[in-house]
Amino acid sequence: MPDRQPTLDEQIAIYQREYRDLDPQVEKVVNALSRLDRRMSVAYGRQLATLGLSSPEWEVLKELVMAGSPYQLWPGTIAKRLGLTPAAMTHRIDRMLTQGLVTRERDMDNRVRVIIGLTDTGREKWLEVMRMASVFEEDLLQDLSSRERGQLGELLTRLLRRVEHAQPDAGGRLTDLD
Amino acid sequence: MPDRQPTLDEQIAIYQREYRDLDPQVEKVVNALSRLDRRMSVAYGRQLATLGLSSPEWEVLKELVMAGSPYQLWPGTIAKRLGLTPAAMTHRIDRMLTQGLVTRERDMDNRVRVIIGLTDTGREKWLEVMRMASVFEEDLLQDLSSRERGQLGELLTRLLRRVEHAQPDAGGRLTDLD
DNA sequence: TGGGAAGACTTCGAAGCTAAACTTCGATGC
DNA sequence: GCATCGAAGTTTAGCTTCGAAGTCTTCCCA
């Protein structure tokens, strides 16, 4: 009973014994993806913690910056993009308000709505995280040439296009686009 | 204030305006990775739910199958691989015991230890998930030729090697291997 | 043989989420 | 005009999952 985690190739070899019809090529891509994301999440989580941020807070910060100047979004919009219920969004904003990362005010054009805005503190926090993360990211990709980085980005983008543009049907299938 | 999520390229363009020193190539790879994993997690989560499984349970199931026959591991080992405390592991095992997915017994060679084993029910569950997931995975990769799938797998494996073999130092840097 | 030390469990509490009911506001129909 | 419906957000209650601290059992070694 070894304490060492099986390598990706070992994992797939075992999986194939357990499930004959498995496509090893597909499985390798998918499992490499999730393994990578797990490691990245751990690394980011550690860095965020040193800056006093949690992952949920970081997600909201990203969405607001991504919205571009003047860094404003409706709570419902953020909730939809992050896959949360409106209630969960309310709670997150509550927490971030006490830290001065965001502001919350009524939308005067439609007073049912609320506008979440990024404070200067929040924007500064985003920058700090990005600066810290870029060091890790460069380390992560250090073995790939510029040409390979481009290839990888292009291949991943094609997968992303498939999964972001084609919402699954009732059976969970990803149908053709356009 | 549009409701549509920015595309990956839009996101990176905005990030570059906010943070001049950003490497767009690196950022594209990293963000595509995390976007992809998020989508995959949602898809898997939905499928798991239809089979009455939660993600934490699925993680444990995978580790046990990955261990190979006779599908036995110590709780501490699973905890380490999943990045959990022993206490959290105890809770997970408790839940899975009531569903008949795993067994828990004392290790007679060292009676401080405990052995977690996979039941036939648990193994059958694993198979059901794999069968269901492979449909989604094939859909996800349908736009890539076999050659491209191989390239992608190889590039991801090289990233993985960097992050799995080189535990970060105190400053979080990924140093050279070997 | 008498401490450690290690491994797992128990208890308690916190974080973060969802579901459902509620409030407030705008739109629509008669 | 007035009433009703729907949309957006909040509140409340409860659930899931995890971690921290303490406990118990067992092994190991001086």
Side-chain angles (χ1 to χ4, degrees):
Chain A
M1 243 185 281
D3 223 38
R4 180 180 60 81
Q5 183 194 34
T7 66
L8 181 55
D9 286 329
E10 288 170 352
Q11 174 186 353
I12 292 176
I14 293 177
Y15 275 18
Q16 256 185 313
R17 281 204 292 278
E18 300 292 329
Y19 177 32
R20 301 282 172 197
D21 293 348
L22 200 71
D23 182 331
Q25 216 174 30
V26 170
E27 211 60 18
K28 182 156 181 170
V29 169
V30 170
N31 284 281
L33 267 170
S34 68
R35 280 193 185 212
L36 264 175
D37 191 81
R38 170 184 292 272
R39 299 286 181 159
M40 285 168 50
S41 298
V42 171
Y44 288 141
R46 264 201 280 268
Q47 296 187 335
L48 289 175
T50 69
L51 296 176
L53 275 180
S54 70
S55 298
E57 289 157 3
W58 171 239
E59 284 182 331
V60 174
L61 237 43
K62 269 196 300 187
E63 288 299 329
L64 283 171
V65 171
M66 225 185 287
S69 184
Y71 313 108
Q72 293 182 338
L73 286 173
W74 295 311
T77 301
I78 309 178
K80 227 170 281 170
R81 292 187 188 168
L82 297 181
L84 298 174
T85 61
M89 204 59 236
T90 297
H91 296 319
R92 282 200 189 182
I93 300 298
D94 285 346
R95 282 173 257 152
M96 297 179 73
L97 273 174
T98 68
Q99 303 182 48
L101 299 171
V102 299
T103 59
R104 170 158 55 192
E105 51 189 75
R106 298 218 82 85
D107 185 343
M108 282 317 163
D109 292 341
N110 179 337
R111 292 177 22 220
V112 177
R113 288 189 172 281
V114 167
I115 295 183
I116 306 301
L118 192 63
T119 64
D120 288 344
T121 305
R123 214 158 127 250
E124 189 49 45
K125 273 287 180 194
W126 179 86
L127 252 180
E128 286 179 40
V129 173
M130 291 300 286
R131 272 197 285 264
M132 201 175 237
S134 64
V135 176
F136 167 78
E137 292 163 0
E138 181 54 45
D139 281 352
L140 178 65
L141 294 186
Q142 67 186 277
D143 297 330
L144 267 53
S145 67
S146 177
R147 178 181 156 71
E148 288 170 328
R149 295 177 187 195
Q151 274 185 0
L152 180 54
E154 200 266 335
L155 288 169
L156 291 174
T157 304
R158 280 167 62 194
L159 294 194
L160 200 56
R161 179 162 185 278
R162 168 64 60 182
V163 78
E164 281 192 344
H165 292 217
Q167 60 278 50
D169 62 20
R173 301 299 304 267
L174 298 172
T175 54
D176 272 342
L177 310 173
D178 311 328
Chain B
M1 247 187 275
D3 223 37
R4 179 180 60 81
Q5 183 194 32
T7 65
L8 181 56
D9 286 329
E10 287 170 353
Q11 175 186 351
I12 291 175
I14 293 177
Y15 275 18
Q16 255 185 312
R17 280 204 293 277
E18 301 291 328
Y19 176 32
R20 301 281 171 199
D21 292 348
L22 201 69
D23 182 334
Q25 218 174 28
V26 170
E27 210 60 19
K28 182 157 181 169
V29 169
V30 171
N31 283 281
L33 267 169
S34 68
R35 281 192 184 212
L36 264 175
D37 190 81
R38 170 184 292 273
R39 299 286 181 159
M40 286 169 50
S41 298
V42 170
Y44 288 141
R46 264 201 279 268
Q47 295 186 335
L48 288 174
T50 69
L51 296 175
L53 276 179
S54 71
S55 298
E57 289 156 3
W58 170 239
E59 284 182 330
V60 174
L61 238 43
K62 269 196 300 187
E63 288 299 329
L64 283 170
V65 171
M66 226 184 288
S69 183
Y71 313 109
Q72 293 182 337
L73 286 173
W74 295 312
T77 301
I78 309 179
K80 227 169 283 171
R81 292 187 189 169
L82 297 182
L84 297 174
T85 61
M89 205 58 236
T90 298
H91 296 318
R92 281 200 191 182
I93 301 298
D94 286 345
R95 283 174 256 152
M96 298 179 73
L97 273 174
T98 69
Q99 304 181 47
L101 298 172
V102 299
T103 60
R104 170 159 54 193
E105 52 188 75
R106 297 219 82 86
D107 184 344
M108 283 316 163
D109 293 339
N110 179 340
R111 303 202 342 241
V112 177
R113 288 188 174 279
V114 168
I115 296 182
I116 305 302
L118 193 62
T119 64
D120 288 344
T121 305
R123 213 157 128 252
E124 189 50 46
K125 273 287 180 194
W126 180 86
L127 253 181
E128 285 180 40
V129 173
M130 291 300 287
R131 272 196 286 263
M132 201 174 236
S134 64
V135 175
F136 167 79
E137 291 164 359
E138 181 53 46
D139 281 353
L140 178 65
L141 293 186
Q142 67 186 276
D143 297 329
L144 266 53
S145 68
S146 176
R147 178 181 157 70
E148 289 170 328
R149 294 177 187 193
Q151 274 184 358
L152 180 54
E154 200 266 334
L155 289 170
L156 290 174
T157 304
R158 280 167 62 193
L159 294 194
L160 201 55
R161 177 161 185 279
R162 169 63 61 182
V163 79
E164 281 192 344
H165 291 217
Q167 61 277 46
D169 62 20
R173 302 298 303 266
L174 298 172
T175 52
D176 272 342
L177 310 174
D178 312 328

